[in-house]
Amino acid sequence: MNLIYAILLAVIGLAALVIELFVPAAGLIGLVGAGCMIAAVVIGFTWYGPTAGILFIAALVVLNPLVIVLWFKRFPRSRIGKKLILFPPENGEEEGLFHPGMTGKALTDLRPSGTALIEQKKVSVVTGGDYIAVGSPIEIRKIDGNRIEVRKISDPDERRGGE
């Protein structure tokens, strides 16, 4: 058997352990990875002697934590990582985006929840329990975390920002 097969088994084992961190498979992928690494060590011992087997063990003992640490450092910055991981806003760009008193209009019927257009952004909003028809001008009453409570604007003078 070629040494390349043993190295390939070790690489597959390392990859399987990294995949196990992200895929819920009840440990099955991790077991396959561990099995591949054990098979690589066994091939090293049986085909190439104790020196090769010990080198495989040493390499895997060093590479396992190294690969996992590097993966956690690089993955969040990768294209897939950016889509999967929720990051806090940078430089306060999203913080304070909406505030009470801002106006907009209801994009759906708010009964009592729905979607509104505020500052050219679609936002999920709720009312205080009132029904607000689609297209009605609204104003933000209060913000509690990610919950935006709105009310219908009835005074025509207050209809400045929602249309």
Side-chain angles (χ1 to χ4, degrees), residues 84-153:
L84 292 177
I85 299 173
L86 197 57
F87 292 99
E90 295 178 10
N91 302 330
E93 66 186 26
E94 293 287 324
E95 224 167 296
L97 190 61
F98 301 109
H99 54 81
M102 293 178 81
T103 59
K105 73 176 181 181
L107 290 178
T108 63
D109 289 334
L110 306 180
R111 46 176 105 164
S113 66
T115 306
L117 185 67
I118 301 172
E119 297 289 318
Q120 280 64 40
K121 291 182 176 36
K122 286 184 180 180
V123 183
S124 181
V125 297
V126 296
T127 68
D130 302 329
Y131 169 82
I132 299 176
V134 63
S136 299
I138 57 168
E139 176 184 48
I140 296 177
R141 264 185 73 210
K142 68 179 179 178
I143 298 175
D144 185 23
N146 64 349
R147 183 177 184 266
I148 301 174
E149 187 175 321
V150 297
R151 69 174 181 89
K152 184 175 180 181
I153 299 174

Side-chain angles (χ1 to χ4, degrees), residues 23-43:
V23 177
L28 189 59
I29 297 172
L31 285 174
V32 168
C36 286
M37 287 186 286
I38 290 170
V41 169
V42 168
I43 289 171

Side-chain angles (χ1 to χ4, degrees), residues 1-10 40 43-45 47-49 52-53 55-56:
M1 199 177 253
N2 199 347
L3 184 63
I4 304 253
Y5 293 132
I7 293 172
L8 186 62
L9 277 172
I43 289 171
F45 271 112
W47 288 81
Y48 301 102
L55 284 174
F56 268 101

